[in-house]
């Protein structure tokens, strides 16, 4: 009798686990293949970590999705999505009208200012006039590249493009750039490093341009993937409401990155 009962219990556990696994839809979660601290970066073992990784895991768990982190070169990440190599992008991708012509987005999950940092021994502001004779570094295929070419290049700034944000930051620290433009969280994290503290300081927040900078950052999705979008939007809303979002954010920031 006990053997029969034990066998029944074991079978129930196995079936339960199988049912749970069957319920979890596997999706490839695309991230940029290069470090972008504190959002995403690989540890010594090559495992990806950071605020955005923790956020994505929480959203996937809430949405009952089996998300497999899949690094992709940033300048090819949208083609990877549209060609079904990945199923969603969690890579600090701002929601912009230009991108919405090609892909769709979830609701926003954070919104922080865009800033310019520069060498301490140079005095200038984050304005077209302030950068008119400066060399400004930006990452390719980003809203910052578009913004700099729209607002700063016509005023006389020299725009230098980089494949990764780290490369731009390193050139700034080495004195090969006057300034760098990017998201405030990423650049403030750099300013806290030894190299950043030695060389640079914040020069200011750039003027608003919603058409270029967008209303915030969302999860990139293929057009027509309505079911996945609905699951993710519901999960984002829930992790925000149940305190998970705040708990994750406190590990990395002393402010709420949700923004306005």
């Amino acid at each position: 009798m006990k053997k029969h009962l034990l066998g029944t219990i074991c079978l129930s556990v196995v079936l339960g686990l199988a049912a749970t696994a069957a319920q979890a839809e596997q999706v490839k979660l695309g991230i940029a293949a290069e470090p972008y601290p504190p959002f995403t970066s690989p540890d010594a073992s090559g495992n990806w970590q950071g605020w955005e990784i923790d956020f994505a895991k929480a959203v996937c768990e809430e949405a009952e999705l089996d998300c497999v982190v899949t690094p992709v070169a940033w300048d090819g990440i949208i083609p990877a999505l549209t060609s079904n190599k990945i199923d969603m992008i969690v890579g600090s991708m701002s929601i912009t009208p230009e991108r919405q012509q090609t892909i769709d987005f979830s609701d926003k999950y954070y919104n922080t200012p865009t800033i310019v940092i520069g060498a301490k021994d140079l005095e200038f502001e984050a304005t077209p006039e302030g950068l008119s004779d400066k060399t400004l570094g930006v990452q390719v295929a980003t809203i910052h590249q578009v913004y700099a070419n729209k607002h700063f290049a016509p005023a006389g700034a020299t725009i230098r493009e980089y494949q990764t944000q780290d490369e731009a930051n390193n050139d700034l620290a080495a004195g090969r750039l006057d300034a760098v433009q990017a998201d405030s969280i990423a650049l403030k994290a750099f300013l806290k490093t030894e190299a950043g503290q030695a060389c640079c300081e914040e020069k200011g927040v750039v003027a608003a341009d919603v058409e270029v900078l967008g209303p915030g950052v969302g999860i990139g999705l293929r057009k027509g993937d309505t079911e996945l979008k609905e699951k993710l939007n519901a999960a984002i809303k829930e992790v925000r409401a149940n305190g998970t979002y705040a708990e994750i954010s406190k590990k990395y920031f002393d402010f709420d990155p949700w923004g306005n």
Side-chain angles (χ1 to χ4, degrees), residues 69-112:
V69 174
T70 308
V72 180
W74 175 254
D75 58 0
I77 204 165
I78 289 180
L81 177 65
T82 57
S83 62
N84 298 313
K85 293 178 182 176
I86 56 175
D87 300 302
M88 59 196 227
I89 299 170
V90 181
S92 292
M93 182 170 280
S94 296
I95 304 164
T96 66
E98 182 181 1
R99 287 172 175 153
Q100 286 175 313
Q101 293 177 18
T102 307
I103 64 173
D104 200 358
F105 284 92
S106 72
D107 293 340
K108 75 146 190 185
Y109 61 88
Y110 84 83
N111 186 22
T112 48

Side-chain angles (χ1 to χ4, degrees), residues 8-176:
T8 302
I9 292 172
C10 290
L11 180 59
S12 298
V13 170
V14 170
L15 290 175
L17 291 173
T20 301
Q23 289 172 1
E25 174 190 357
Q26 188 175 90
V27 297
K28 291 183 179 179
L29 191 161
I31 64 168
E34 61 271 2
Y36 191 57
F39 296 102
T40 55
S41 58
D43 62 17
S45 302
N47 298 313
W48 288 86
Q49 59 185 1
W51 180 86
E52 219 158 10
I53 297 295
D54 290 352
F55 164 78
K57 287 179 179 178
V59 167
C60 288
E61 183 177 351
E62 183 64 37
E64 296 185 346
L65 298 172
D66 177 15
C67 293
V68 180
V69 174
T70 308
V72 180
W74 175 254
D75 58 0
I77 204 165
I78 289 180
L81 177 65
T82 57
S83 62
N84 298 313
K85 293 178 182 176
I86 56 175
D87 300 302
M88 59 196 227
I89 299 170
V90 181
S92 292
M93 182 170 280
S94 296
I95 304 164
T96 66
E98 182 181 1
R99 287 172 175 153
Q100 286 175 313
Q101 293 177 18
T102 307
I103 64 173
D104 200 358
F105 284 92
S106 72
D107 293 340
K108 75 146 190 185
Y109 61 88
Y110 84 83
N111 186 22
T112 48
T114 292
I115 66 171
V116 170
I117 64 172
K120 289 181 177 179
D121 60 355
L122 294 177
E123 290 189 12
F124 62 90
E125 297 181 344
T127 63
E129 296 76 21
L131 288 159
S132 62
D133 58 347
K134 304 296 187 295
T135 301
L136 175 69
V138 293
Q139 186 180 4
V140 297
T142 64
I143 58 172
H144 309 295
Q145 178 192 30
V146 176
Y147 187 99
N149 285 322
K150 178 179 177 180
H151 293 280
F152 298 141
T158 300
I159 310 303
R160 191 172 295 170
E161 298 166 357
Y162 293 83
Q163 289 298 313
T164 72
Q165 190 62 47
D166 271 356
E167 290 173 343
N169 294 346
N170 290 339
D171 264 11
L172 178 62
R176 291 186 285 269

